[in-house]
Amino acid sequence: MHLREPSTTTLADLDRAWKNRDREWTSDACVPSVDFPQAPGVEPTILLGDHEITLDEKAIELLCAFYQVPTAYFRRITAEERHYVMNMRMTHALGEVTITYNDRGLTDVRKPTKPRLEAEEFVRIAHRLYPASSTVLDAWVTADELRLDVLGRHAEDGVWGGLRFGQNRKQNLAPTVTPILFHEDTTTVIEIPDPSLKIDARGVSIDKIGERLAAEALRADARLYKDAEHLLGLVNSSIAGDRIIRLHRIAAEHKMPVRPLADITVALSRNDQPTLLDMVLAIANTANAPKILQDPDKRKLRTTLQAIAGAVVVDEAERCISCHALVAAA
């Protein structure tokens, strides 16, 4: 098993870190200009009217996303090329841009017609359900994604329940909330799928989106005790005789990445009498592997493995006793 370090971050800590002290600047998208100095040690800047702001890597990613410059390509080119490419994209940009900034630099770049929930609003919604001392397992805000994993309550023996808030910020999609379970002994996070927890953000105000997210968070939290019971109940389902067949069926149905599959197989082979609980934990715990856990580029893979494990927890479909394929309804 891969054990992750205990988190010392609380909702109160995150509230302070994500507190909004931002200001907004809106203009034609062609008005801003950037400067990428060639001299070593001199930081790039953006000019918003008469106001100059230093750009860090996160701010550069935001600009690349808005002005449609491939981020990986932009990282590879020289400062002189960066200066030329970004300024040319800005000069020929159409429409308007809203740039949000604070004392630390840029925090958001978007079209003014596409408002979205501020990061601290996710913390406030979580705080309506859970105390400020609640543990935050993961939290990040990038140009592409927002994520907040918070544990709220002790659901069952050795299992904590919580919520996973998220948003695709690159495409400014509706925010999401999903139940999660945390298995203390193995420090494993499992995402429980629930298609009914869906937020319709089309044509509604930011305040209404926040209200709908809070309502769905309440529904997600309400099911955590049952989910924890179901997870622990899997210890009664032996897979000693067909562990590999079951694993391959799960991998095929959920398009599991190949490399983690080898790690999961090894974990299952260490147990003489494995159960379905062992299978679920082996799948989700692979997301704790150091190469996956510590690499920001592997965040999508981590979520995929945790969600596959959760899908196994809630799977109650009728299956073939030999190959575990789904049995078609009569």
Side-chain angles (χ1 to χ4, degrees):
M1 285 289 178
H2 304 287
L3 300 179
R4 56 185 289 168
E5 292 294 323
S7 174
T8 58
T9 304
T10 66
L11 268 181
D13 296 330
L14 195 64
D15 184 45
R16 287 189 291 269
W18 285 7
K19 186 68 70 177
N20 185 3
R21 296 187 180 94
D22 295 346
R23 288 167 285 179
E24 288 188 353
W25 182 89
T26 300
S27 182
D28 292 335
C30 61
V31 170
S33 62
V34 293
D35 182 24
F36 285 87
Q38 299 182 51
V42 182
E43 295 181 312
T45 58
I46 185 171
L47 192 63
L48 307 178
D50 296 329
H51 192 56
E52 188 177 71
I53 302 171
T54 300
L55 297 174
D56 57 14
E57 285 302 315
K58 178 182 175 181
I60 292 171
E61 289 180 10
L62 291 169
L63 291 171
C64 285
F66 182 85
Y67 287 101
Q68 299 181 347
V69 179
T71 306
Y73 158 76
F74 202 73
R75 288 172 181 161
R76 294 194 302 267
I77 60 179
T78 66
E80 184 178 8
E81 290 170 324
R82 286 184 170 199
H83 182 91
Y84 175 79
V85 169
M86 187 59 73
N87 278 300
M88 287 299 291
R89 293 296 297 172
M90 287 178 165
T91 300
H92 294 88
L94 301 176
E96 291 184 319
V97 61
T98 293
I99 296 178
T100 309
Y101 63 94
N102 56 31
D103 295 338
R104 297 186 298 274
L106 264 62
T107 59
D108 197 12
V109 181
R110 66 179 189 274
K111 293 181 179 179
T113 55
K114 291 187 176 180
R116 64 186 175 199
L117 285 179
E118 298 294 343
E120 64 270 17
E121 182 62 22
F122 289 84
V123 180
R124 283 196 289 266
I125 291 172
H127 196 189
R128 294 181 194 177
L129 292 170
Y130 303 146
S133 59
S134 298
T135 299
V136 174
L137 290 176
D138 284 305
W140 62 77
V141 183
T142 69
D144 295 336
E145 182 187 24
L146 178 145
R147 168 65 60 80
L148 167 56
D149 286 358
V150 56
L151 299 181
R153 62 189 71 215
H154 193 212
E156 280 293 326
D157 185 28
V159 177
W160 286 77
L163 297 176
R164 167 168 289 173
F165 294 91
Q167 186 185 28
N168 180 332
R169 294 173 78 82
K170 184 175 183 179
Q171 297 176 292
N172 199 27
L173 301 183
T176 60
V177 60
T178 312
I180 58 172
L181 299 175
F182 180 73
H183 190 264
E184 278 189 299
D185 289 345
T186 61
T187 66
T188 300
V189 179
I190 301 167
E191 178 182 310
I192 304 297
D194 187 343
S196 72
L197 296 170
K198 189 173 181 179
I199 297 164
D200 187 356
R202 294 171 295 180
V204 298
S205 67
I206 286 296
D207 290 343
K208 182 62 69 174
I209 293 173
E211 290 175 6
R212 292 180 179 180
L213 179 60
E216 294 304 282
L218 189 62
R219 290 209 305 121
D221 178 73
R223 62 171 292 165
L224 285 171
Y225 283 111
K226 287 296 182 182
D227 288 330
E229 287 180 357
H230 201 166
L231 172 68
L232 294 174
L234 297 180
V235 73
N236 299 315
S237 300
S238 174
I239 57 170
D242 58 356
R243 70 185 82 181
I244 300 303
I245 295 175
R246 285 202 177 207
L247 179 58
H248 285 176
R249 176 61 61 186
I250 292 168
E253 289 183 358
H254 297 282
K255 298 181 175 58
M256 185 184 295
V258 175
R259 288 188 178 181
L261 185 58
D263 198 7
I264 297 166
T265 303
V266 171
L268 285 176
S269 68
R270 296 191 181 118
N271 196 327
D272 293 334
Q273 296 294 325
T275 66
L276 202 51
L277 176 61
D278 296 317
M279 173 83 75
V280 168
L281 293 177
I283 294 171
N285 186 259
T286 307
N288 288 353
K291 289 184 178 179
I292 298 177
L293 185 64
Q294 298 169 10
D295 187 350
D297 293 333
K298 303 287 188 183
R299 286 170 175 170
K300 183 177 180 180
L301 175 58
R302 286 169 56 192
T303 302
T304 297
L305 292 168
Q306 293 163 354
I308 291 174
V312 177
V313 173
V314 298
D315 182 13
E316 297 182 351
E318 184 179 358
R319 292 181 174 273
C320 171
I321 60 173
S322 299
C323 66
H324 299 287
L326 289 170
V327 175

PDB file of all heavy atoms in Angstrom, residues 1 183 186 234-244 247 263-283:
ATOM      1  N   MET A   1       0.833  -1.201   0.000  1.00  0.00           N
ATOM      2  CA  MET A   1       0.000   0.000   0.000  1.00  0.00           C
ATOM      3  C   MET A   1       0.872   1.258   0.000  1.00  0.00           C
ATOM      4  O   MET A   1       1.954   1.270   0.579  1.00  0.00           O
ATOM      5  CB  MET A   1      -0.919   0.017   1.228  1.00  0.00           C
ATOM      6  CG  MET A   1      -2.083  -0.944   1.138  1.00  0.00           C
ATOM      7  SD  MET A   1      -3.307  -0.407  -0.058  1.00  0.00           S
ATOM      8  CE  MET A   1      -4.486  -1.760   0.051  1.00  0.00           C
ATOM      9  N   HIS A 183     -10.354   6.051   3.574  1.00  0.00           N
ATOM     10  CA  HIS A 183     -10.050   4.867   4.368  1.00  0.00           C
ATOM     11  C   HIS A 183      -8.777   5.143   5.155  1.00  0.00           C
ATOM     12  O   HIS A 183      -7.689   5.255   4.595  1.00  0.00           O
ATOM     13  CB  HIS A 183      -9.880   3.655   3.440  1.00  0.00           C
ATOM     14  CG  HIS A 183      -9.801   2.347   4.148  1.00  0.00           C
ATOM     15  ND1 HIS A 183      -8.602   1.739   4.462  1.00  0.00           N
ATOM     16  CD2 HIS A 183     -10.781   1.520   4.620  1.00  0.00           C
ATOM     17  CE1 HIS A 183      -8.833   0.593   5.072  1.00  0.00           C
ATOM     18  NE2 HIS A 183     -10.143   0.438   5.183  1.00  0.00           N
ATOM     19  N   THR A 186      -5.359   2.868   5.136  1.00  0.00           N
ATOM     20  CA  THR A 186      -4.577   2.860   3.892  1.00  0.00           C
ATOM     21  C   THR A 186      -4.418   4.254   3.295  1.00  0.00           C
ATOM     22  O   THR A 186      -3.805   4.398   2.242  1.00  0.00           O
ATOM     23  CB  THR A 186      -5.251   1.950   2.848  1.00  0.00           C
ATOM     24  OG1 THR A 186      -6.567   2.443   2.554  1.00  0.00           O
ATOM     25  CG2 THR A 186      -5.353   0.526   3.361  1.00  0.00           C
ATOM     26  N   LEU A 234     -18.124  -4.823   1.632  1.00  0.00           N
ATOM     27  CA  LEU A 234     -17.472  -5.583   0.554  1.00  0.00           C
ATOM     28  C   LEU A 234     -16.471  -6.597   1.089  1.00  0.00           C
ATOM     29  O   LEU A 234     -16.012  -7.465   0.352  1.00  0.00           O
ATOM     30  CB  LEU A 234     -16.763  -4.625  -0.410  1.00  0.00           C
ATOM     31  CG  LEU A 234     -17.656  -3.634  -1.163  1.00  0.00           C
ATOM     32  CD1 LEU A 234     -16.812  -2.756  -2.081  1.00  0.00           C
ATOM     33  CD2 LEU A 234     -18.728  -4.357  -1.966  1.00  0.00           C
ATOM     34  N   VAL A 235     -16.125  -6.494   2.382  1.00  0.00           N
ATOM     35  CA  VAL A 235     -15.197  -7.457   2.980  1.00  0.00           C
ATOM     36  C   VAL A 235     -15.801  -8.854   2.997  1.00  0.00           C
ATOM     37  O   VAL A 235     -15.080  -9.865   3.131  1.00  0.00           O
ATOM     38  CB  VAL A 235     -14.811  -7.005   4.407  1.00  0.00           C
ATOM     39  CG1 VAL A 235     -15.966  -7.210   5.368  1.00  0.00           C
ATOM     40  CG2 VAL A 235     -13.556  -7.722   4.887  1.00  0.00           C
ATOM     41  N   ASN A 236     -17.106  -8.950   2.848  1.00  0.00           N
ATOM     42  CA  ASN A 236     -17.791 -10.243   2.851  1.00  0.00           C
ATOM     43  C   ASN A 236     -17.878 -10.871   1.462  1.00  0.00           C
ATOM     44  O   ASN A 236     -18.408 -11.978   1.328  1.00  0.00           O
ATOM     45  CB  ASN A 236     -19.207 -10.078   3.421  1.00  0.00           C
ATOM     46  CG  ASN A 236     -19.200  -9.571   4.845  1.00  0.00           C
ATOM     47  OD1 ASN A 236     -18.428 -10.044   5.667  1.00  0.00           O
ATOM     48  ND2 ASN A 236     -20.057  -8.603   5.142  1.00  0.00           N
ATOM     49  N   SER A 237     -17.365 -10.202   0.449  1.00  0.00           N
ATOM     50  CA  SER A 237     -17.418 -10.725  -0.921  1.00  0.00           C
ATOM     51  C   SER A 237     -16.032 -11.209  -1.326  1.00  0.00           C
ATOM     52  O   SER A 237     -15.153 -10.409  -1.676  1.00  0.00           O
ATOM     53  CB  SER A 237     -17.906  -9.647  -1.893  1.00  0.00           C
ATOM     54  OG  SER A 237     -19.201  -9.208  -1.544  1.00  0.00           O
ATOM     55  N   SER A 238     -15.815 -12.511  -1.270  1.00  0.00           N
ATOM     56  CA  SER A 238     -14.507 -13.082  -1.597  1.00  0.00           C
ATOM     57  C   SER A 238     -14.268 -13.078  -3.112  1.00  0.00           C
ATOM     58  O   SER A 238     -15.181 -13.335  -3.900  1.00  0.00           O
ATOM     59  CB  SER A 238     -14.406 -14.508  -1.071  1.00  0.00           C
ATOM     60  OG  SER A 238     -13.201 -15.113  -1.510  1.00  0.00           O
ATOM     61  N   ILE A 239     -13.032 -12.768  -3.493  1.00  0.00           N
ATOM     62  CA  ILE A 239     -12.649 -12.849  -4.914  1.00  0.00           C
ATOM     63  C   ILE A 239     -11.393 -13.713  -5.053  1.00  0.00           C
ATOM     64  O   ILE A 239     -10.623 -13.572  -6.003  1.00  0.00           O
ATOM     65  CB  ILE A 239     -12.398 -11.456  -5.516  1.00  0.00           C
ATOM     66  CG1 ILE A 239     -11.309 -10.710  -4.721  1.00  0.00           C
ATOM     67  CG2 ILE A 239     -13.676 -10.638  -5.556  1.00  0.00           C
ATOM     68  CD1 ILE A 239     -10.829  -9.430  -5.406  1.00  0.00           C
ATOM     69  N   ALA A 240     -11.198 -14.613  -4.083  1.00  0.00           N
ATOM     70  CA  ALA A 240      -9.982 -15.424  -4.061  1.00  0.00           C
ATOM     71  C   ALA A 240      -9.814 -16.258  -5.327  1.00  0.00           C
ATOM     72  O   ALA A 240      -8.700 -16.450  -5.817  1.00  0.00           O
ATOM     73  CB  ALA A 240      -9.981 -16.327  -2.830  1.00  0.00           C
ATOM     74  N   GLY A 241     -10.931 -16.752  -5.884  1.00  0.00           N
ATOM     75  CA  GLY A 241     -10.815 -17.637  -7.041  1.00  0.00           C
ATOM     76  C   GLY A 241     -10.806 -16.937  -8.380  1.00  0.00           C
ATOM     77  O   GLY A 241     -10.460 -17.567  -9.402  1.00  0.00           O
ATOM     78  N   ASP A 242     -11.199 -15.664  -8.429  1.00  0.00           N
ATOM     79  CA  ASP A 242     -11.311 -15.004  -9.737  1.00  0.00           C
ATOM     80  C   ASP A 242     -10.846 -13.549  -9.678  1.00  0.00           C
ATOM     81  O   ASP A 242     -11.358 -12.696 -10.388  1.00  0.00           O
ATOM     82  CB  ASP A 242     -12.748 -15.078 -10.238  1.00  0.00           C
ATOM     83  CG  ASP A 242     -13.743 -14.446  -9.270  1.00  0.00           C
ATOM     84  OD1 ASP A 242     -13.305 -14.021  -8.184  1.00  0.00           O
ATOM     85  OD2 ASP A 242     -14.936 -14.372  -9.606  1.00  0.00           O
ATOM     86  N   ARG A 243      -9.866 -13.251  -8.861  1.00  0.00           N
ATOM     87  CA  ARG A 243      -9.424 -11.867  -8.677  1.00  0.00           C
ATOM     88  C   ARG A 243      -8.961 -11.230  -9.990  1.00  0.00           C
ATOM     89  O   ARG A 243      -9.274 -10.069 -10.269  1.00  0.00           O
ATOM     90  CB  ARG A 243      -8.325 -11.800  -7.624  1.00  0.00           C
ATOM     91  CG  ARG A 243      -6.991 -12.395  -8.050  1.00  0.00           C
ATOM     92  CD  ARG A 243      -5.983 -12.408  -6.930  1.00  0.00           C
ATOM     93  NE  ARG A 243      -6.187 -13.546  -6.052  1.00  0.00           N
ATOM     94  CZ  ARG A 243      -5.462 -13.787  -4.976  1.00  0.00           C
ATOM     95  NH1 ARG A 243      -4.507 -12.944  -4.618  1.00  0.00           N
ATOM     96  NH2 ARG A 243      -5.681 -14.855  -4.234  1.00  0.00           N
ATOM     97  N   ILE A 244      -8.219 -11.977 -10.797  1.00  0.00           N
ATOM     98  CA  ILE A 244      -7.663 -11.412 -12.029  1.00  0.00           C
ATOM     99  C   ILE A 244      -8.765 -11.217 -13.073  1.00  0.00           C
ATOM    100  O   ILE A 244      -8.786 -10.208 -13.790  1.00  0.00           O
ATOM    101  CB  ILE A 244      -6.547 -12.306 -12.586  1.00  0.00           C
ATOM    102  CG1 ILE A 244      -5.422 -12.438 -11.549  1.00  0.00           C
ATOM    103  CG2 ILE A 244      -6.008 -11.733 -13.882  1.00  0.00           C
ATOM    104  CD1 ILE A 244      -4.835 -11.100 -11.110  1.00  0.00           C
ATOM    105  N   LEU A 247     -10.636  -8.138 -12.035  1.00  0.00           N
ATOM    106  CA  LEU A 247      -9.831  -6.943 -12.272  1.00  0.00           C
ATOM    107  C   LEU A 247      -9.801  -6.582 -13.751  1.00  0.00           C
ATOM    108  O   LEU A 247      -9.953  -5.406 -14.115  1.00  0.00           O
ATOM    109  CB  LEU A 247      -8.415  -7.148 -11.745  1.00  0.00           C
ATOM    110  CG  LEU A 247      -7.447  -5.981 -11.954  1.00  0.00           C
ATOM    111  CD1 LEU A 247      -7.981  -4.710 -11.299  1.00  0.00           C
ATOM    112  CD2 LEU A 247      -6.070  -6.336 -11.409  1.00  0.00           C
ATOM    113  N   ASP A 263       0.439  -2.336 -11.008  1.00  0.00           N
ATOM    114  CA  ASP A 263       0.582  -2.071  -9.573  1.00  0.00           C
ATOM    115  C   ASP A 263      -0.581  -2.683  -8.800  1.00  0.00           C
ATOM    116  O   ASP A 263      -0.402  -3.250  -7.702  1.00  0.00           O
ATOM    117  CB  ASP A 263       0.649  -0.561  -9.349  1.00  0.00           C
ATOM    118  CG  ASP A 263       1.229  -0.206  -7.986  1.00  0.00           C
ATOM    119  OD1 ASP A 263       1.690  -1.115  -7.287  1.00  0.00           O
ATOM    120  OD2 ASP A 263       1.217   0.991  -7.626  1.00  0.00           O
ATOM    121  N   ILE A 264      -1.777  -2.573  -9.346  1.00  0.00           N
ATOM    122  CA  ILE A 264      -2.966  -3.131  -8.689  1.00  0.00           C
ATOM    123  C   ILE A 264      -2.887  -4.654  -8.636  1.00  0.00           C
ATOM    124  O   ILE A 264      -3.220  -5.282  -7.620  1.00  0.00           O
ATOM    125  CB  ILE A 264      -4.240  -2.684  -9.436  1.00  0.00           C
ATOM    126  CG1 ILE A 264      -4.386  -1.164  -9.367  1.00  0.00           C
ATOM    127  CG2 ILE A 264      -5.468  -3.367  -8.860  1.00  0.00           C
ATOM    128  CD1 ILE A 264      -5.405  -0.600 -10.334  1.00  0.00           C
ATOM    129  N   THR A 265      -2.427  -5.255  -9.726  1.00  0.00           N
ATOM    130  CA  THR A 265      -2.300  -6.715  -9.777  1.00  0.00           C
ATOM    131  C   THR A 265      -1.335  -7.215  -8.706  1.00  0.00           C
ATOM    132  O   THR A 265      -1.588  -8.215  -8.032  1.00  0.00           O
ATOM    133  CB  THR A 265      -1.814  -7.155 -11.170  1.00  0.00           C
ATOM    134  OG1 THR A 265      -2.714  -6.667 -12.161  1.00  0.00           O
ATOM    135  CG2 THR A 265      -1.749  -8.673 -11.262  1.00  0.00           C
ATOM    136  N   VAL A 266      -0.214  -6.514  -8.548  1.00  0.00           N
ATOM    137  CA  VAL A 266       0.769  -6.885  -7.527  1.00  0.00           C
ATOM    138  C   VAL A 266       0.156  -6.779  -6.132  1.00  0.00           C
ATOM    139  O   VAL A 266       0.345  -7.664  -5.281  1.00  0.00           O
ATOM    140  CB  VAL A 266       2.023  -5.992  -7.634  1.00  0.00           C
ATOM    141  CG1 VAL A 266       2.948  -6.217  -6.436  1.00  0.00           C
ATOM    142  CG2 VAL A 266       2.765  -6.274  -8.930  1.00  0.00           C
ATOM    143  N   ALA A 267      -0.582  -5.717  -5.882  1.00  0.00           N
ATOM    144  CA  ALA A 267      -1.201  -5.523  -4.565  1.00  0.00           C
ATOM    145  C   ALA A 267      -2.172  -6.649  -4.243  1.00  0.00           C
ATOM    146  O   ALA A 267      -2.221  -7.148  -3.108  1.00  0.00           O
ATOM    147  CB  ALA A 267      -1.915  -4.171  -4.524  1.00  0.00           C
ATOM    148  N   LEU A 268      -2.953  -7.085  -5.225  1.00  0.00           N
ATOM    149  CA  LEU A 268      -3.919  -8.165  -4.997  1.00  0.00           C
ATOM    150  C   LEU A 268      -3.228  -9.513  -4.804  1.00  0.00           C
ATOM    151  O   LEU A 268      -3.725 -10.378  -4.072  1.00  0.00           O
ATOM    152  CB  LEU A 268      -4.889  -8.247  -6.176  1.00  0.00           C
ATOM    153  CG  LEU A 268      -5.963  -7.165  -6.244  1.00  0.00           C
ATOM    154  CD1 LEU A 268      -6.785  -7.319  -7.512  1.00  0.00           C
ATOM    155  CD2 LEU A 268      -6.872  -7.229  -5.021  1.00  0.00           C
ATOM    156  N   SER A 269      -2.083  -9.691  -5.442  1.00  0.00           N
ATOM    157  CA  SER A 269      -1.386 -10.981  -5.350  1.00  0.00           C
ATOM    158  C   SER A 269      -0.775 -11.208  -3.971  1.00  0.00           C
ATOM    159  O   SER A 269      -0.442 -12.345  -3.617  1.00  0.00           O
ATOM    160  CB  SER A 269      -0.285 -11.050  -6.419  1.00  0.00           C
ATOM    161  OG  SER A 269       0.751 -10.125  -6.132  1.00  0.00           O
ATOM    162  N   ARG A 270      -0.640 -10.165  -3.174  1.00  0.00           N
ATOM    163  CA  ARG A 270      -0.047 -10.288  -1.841  1.00  0.00           C
ATOM    164  C   ARG A 270      -1.024 -10.873  -0.825  1.00  0.00           C
ATOM    165  O   ARG A 270      -0.625 -11.239   0.270  1.00  0.00           O
ATOM    166  CB  ARG A 270       0.418  -8.918  -1.350  1.00  0.00           C
ATOM    167  CG  ARG A 270       1.546  -8.304  -2.188  1.00  0.00           C
ATOM    168  CD  ARG A 270       2.117  -7.089  -1.488  1.00  0.00           C
ATOM    169  NE  ARG A 270       3.170  -6.468  -2.278  1.00  0.00           N
ATOM    170  CZ  ARG A 270       3.124  -5.238  -2.766  1.00  0.00           C
ATOM    171  NH1 ARG A 270       2.070  -4.478  -2.515  1.00  0.00           N
ATOM    172  NH2 ARG A 270       4.119  -4.754  -3.471  1.00  0.00           N
ATOM    173  N   ASN A 271      -2.299 -10.938  -1.173  1.00  0.00           N
ATOM    174  CA  ASN A 271      -3.335 -11.403  -0.250  1.00  0.00           C
ATOM    175  C   ASN A 271      -3.825 -12.783  -0.677  1.00  0.00           C
ATOM    176  O   ASN A 271      -4.263 -12.971  -1.811  1.00  0.00           O
ATOM    177  CB  ASN A 271      -4.495 -10.402  -0.254  1.00  0.00           C
ATOM    178  CG  ASN A 271      -5.409 -10.588   0.932  1.00  0.00           C
ATOM    179  OD1 ASN A 271      -5.606 -11.708   1.406  1.00  0.00           O
ATOM    180  ND2 ASN A 271      -5.982  -9.500   1.413  1.00  0.00           N
ATOM    181  N   ASP A 272      -3.746 -13.746   0.243  1.00  0.00           N
ATOM    182  CA  ASP A 272      -4.173 -15.109  -0.086  1.00  0.00           C
ATOM    183  C   ASP A 272      -5.684 -15.221  -0.217  1.00  0.00           C
ATOM    184  O   ASP A 272      -6.189 -16.038  -1.000  1.00  0.00           O
ATOM    185  CB  ASP A 272      -3.683 -16.093   0.982  1.00  0.00           C
ATOM    186  CG  ASP A 272      -2.165 -16.237   0.982  1.00  0.00           C
ATOM    187  OD1 ASP A 272      -1.558 -16.000  -0.089  1.00  0.00           O
ATOM    188  OD2 ASP A 272      -1.608 -16.561   2.040  1.00  0.00           O
ATOM    189  N   GLN A 273      -6.415 -14.438   0.558  1.00  0.00           N
ATOM    190  CA  GLN A 273      -7.874 -14.498   0.542  1.00  0.00           C
ATOM    191  C   GLN A 273      -8.441 -13.092   0.308  1.00  0.00           C
ATOM    192  O   GLN A 273      -9.074 -12.498   1.194  1.00  0.00           O
ATOM    193  CB  GLN A 273      -8.398 -15.078   1.860  1.00  0.00           C
ATOM    194  CG  GLN A 273      -7.985 -16.503   2.120  1.00  0.00           C
ATOM    195  CD  GLN A 273      -8.597 -17.464   1.104  1.00  0.00           C
ATOM    196  OE1 GLN A 273      -9.726 -17.276   0.646  1.00  0.00           O
ATOM    197  NE2 GLN A 273      -7.844 -18.499   0.737  1.00  0.00           N
ATOM    198  N   PRO A 274      -8.247 -12.549  -0.891  1.00  0.00           N
ATOM    199  CA  PRO A 274      -8.705 -11.182  -1.149  1.00  0.00           C
ATOM    200  C   PRO A 274     -10.221 -11.080  -1.227  1.00  0.00           C
ATOM    201  O   PRO A 274     -10.899 -12.034  -1.621  1.00  0.00           O
ATOM    202  CB  PRO A 274      -8.056 -10.841  -2.491  1.00  0.00           C
ATOM    203  CG  PRO A 274      -7.933 -12.168  -3.178  1.00  0.00           C
ATOM    204  CD  PRO A 274      -7.624 -13.153  -2.082  1.00  0.00           C
ATOM    205  N   THR A 275     -10.715  -9.918  -0.859  1.00  0.00           N
ATOM    206  CA  THR A 275     -12.143  -9.630  -0.960  1.00  0.00           C
ATOM    207  C   THR A 275     -12.345  -8.477  -1.935  1.00  0.00           C
ATOM    208  O   THR A 275     -11.380  -7.848  -2.397  1.00  0.00           O
ATOM    209  CB  THR A 275     -12.722  -9.248   0.409  1.00  0.00           C
ATOM    210  OG1 THR A 275     -12.147  -7.997   0.816  1.00  0.00           O
ATOM    211  CG2 THR A 275     -12.422 -10.328   1.438  1.00  0.00           C
ATOM    212  N   LEU A 276     -13.598  -8.187  -2.202  1.00  0.00           N
ATOM    213  CA  LEU A 276     -13.905  -7.070  -3.089  1.00  0.00           C
ATOM    214  C   LEU A 276     -13.450  -5.747  -2.456  1.00  0.00           C
ATOM    215  O   LEU A 276     -13.100  -4.805  -3.172  1.00  0.00           O
ATOM    216  CB  LEU A 276     -15.408  -7.033  -3.394  1.00  0.00           C
ATOM    217  CG  LEU A 276     -15.846  -6.299  -4.669  1.00  0.00           C
ATOM    218  CD1 LEU A 276     -15.059  -6.761  -5.888  1.00  0.00           C
ATOM    219  CD2 LEU A 276     -17.336  -6.477  -4.901  1.00  0.00           C
ATOM    220  N   LEU A 277     -13.433  -5.689  -1.124  1.00  0.00           N
ATOM    221  CA  LEU A 277     -12.902  -4.503  -0.452  1.00  0.00           C
ATOM    222  C   LEU A 277     -11.424  -4.321  -0.778  1.00  0.00           C
ATOM    223  O   LEU A 277     -10.967  -3.200  -1.049  1.00  0.00           O
ATOM    224  CB  LEU A 277     -13.100  -4.616   1.056  1.00  0.00           C
ATOM    225  CG  LEU A 277     -12.495  -3.481   1.902  1.00  0.00           C
ATOM    226  CD1 LEU A 277     -13.124  -2.143   1.532  1.00  0.00           C
ATOM    227  CD2 LEU A 277     -12.660  -3.757   3.398  1.00  0.00           C
ATOM    228  N   ASP A 278     -10.666  -5.410  -0.771  1.00  0.00           N
ATOM    229  CA  ASP A 278      -9.251  -5.341  -1.132  1.00  0.00           C
ATOM    230  C   ASP A 278      -9.077  -4.843  -2.567  1.00  0.00           C
ATOM    231  O   ASP A 278      -8.153  -4.077  -2.861  1.00  0.00           O
ATOM    232  CB  ASP A 278      -8.589  -6.713  -0.979  1.00  0.00           C
ATOM    233  CG  ASP A 278      -8.579  -7.203   0.456  1.00  0.00           C
ATOM    234  OD1 ASP A 278      -8.285  -6.390   1.345  1.00  0.00           O
ATOM    235  OD2 ASP A 278      -8.881  -8.391   0.686  1.00  0.00           O
ATOM    236  N   MET A 279      -9.961  -5.289  -3.446  1.00  0.00           N
ATOM    237  CA  MET A 279      -9.900  -4.860  -4.847  1.00  0.00           C
ATOM    238  C   MET A 279     -10.118  -3.348  -4.951  1.00  0.00           C
ATOM    239  O   MET A 279      -9.352  -2.640  -5.620  1.00  0.00           O
ATOM    240  CB  MET A 279     -10.967  -5.606  -5.661  1.00  0.00           C
ATOM    241  CG  MET A 279     -11.115  -5.137  -7.107  1.00  0.00           C
ATOM    242  SD  MET A 279      -9.926  -5.884  -8.203  1.00  0.00           S
ATOM    243  CE  MET A 279     -10.629  -7.542  -8.361  1.00  0.00           C
ATOM    244  N   VAL A 280     -11.142  -2.850  -4.286  1.00  0.00           N
ATOM    245  CA  VAL A 280     -11.462  -1.417  -4.338  1.00  0.00           C
ATOM    246  C   VAL A 280     -10.300  -0.594  -3.790  1.00  0.00           C
ATOM    247  O   VAL A 280      -9.877   0.402  -4.394  1.00  0.00           O
ATOM    248  CB  VAL A 280     -12.755  -1.132  -3.547  1.00  0.00           C
ATOM    249  CG1 VAL A 280     -12.938   0.369  -3.332  1.00  0.00           C
ATOM    250  CG2 VAL A 280     -13.956  -1.709  -4.277  1.00  0.00           C
ATOM    251  N   LEU A 281      -9.760  -1.021  -2.642  1.00  0.00           N
ATOM    252  CA  LEU A 281      -8.664  -0.283  -2.024  1.00  0.00           C
ATOM    253  C   LEU A 281      -7.403  -0.340  -2.876  1.00  0.00           C
ATOM    254  O   LEU A 281      -6.651   0.644  -2.970  1.00  0.00           O
ATOM    255  CB  LEU A 281      -8.379  -0.816  -0.626  1.00  0.00           C
ATOM    256  CG  LEU A 281      -9.480  -0.593   0.411  1.00  0.00           C
ATOM    257  CD1 LEU A 281      -9.111  -1.239   1.743  1.00  0.00           C
ATOM    258  CD2 LEU A 281      -9.760   0.887   0.605  1.00  0.00           C
ATOM    259  N   ALA A 282      -7.155  -1.478  -3.522  1.00  0.00           N
ATOM    260  CA  ALA A 282      -5.969  -1.603  -4.374  1.00  0.00           C
ATOM    261  C   ALA A 282      -6.043  -0.648  -5.559  1.00  0.00           C
ATOM    262  O   ALA A 282      -5.045  -0.025  -5.948  1.00  0.00           O
ATOM    263  CB  ALA A 282      -5.825  -3.044  -4.855  1.00  0.00           C
ATOM    264  N   ILE A 283      -7.239  -0.514  -6.137  1.00  0.00           N
ATOM    265  CA  ILE A 283      -7.412   0.383  -7.290  1.00  0.00           C
ATOM    266  C   ILE A 283      -7.219   1.836  -6.871  1.00  0.00           C
ATOM    267  O   ILE A 283      -6.435   2.573  -7.466  1.00  0.00           O
ATOM    268  CB  ILE A 283      -8.804   0.178  -7.920  1.00  0.00           C
ATOM    269  CG1 ILE A 283      -8.916  -1.220  -8.534  1.00  0.00           C
ATOM    270  CG2 ILE A 283      -9.059   1.248  -8.991  1.00  0.00           C
ATOM    271  CD1 ILE A 283     -10.321  -1.572  -8.987  1.00  0.00           C
TER     272      ILE A 283
END
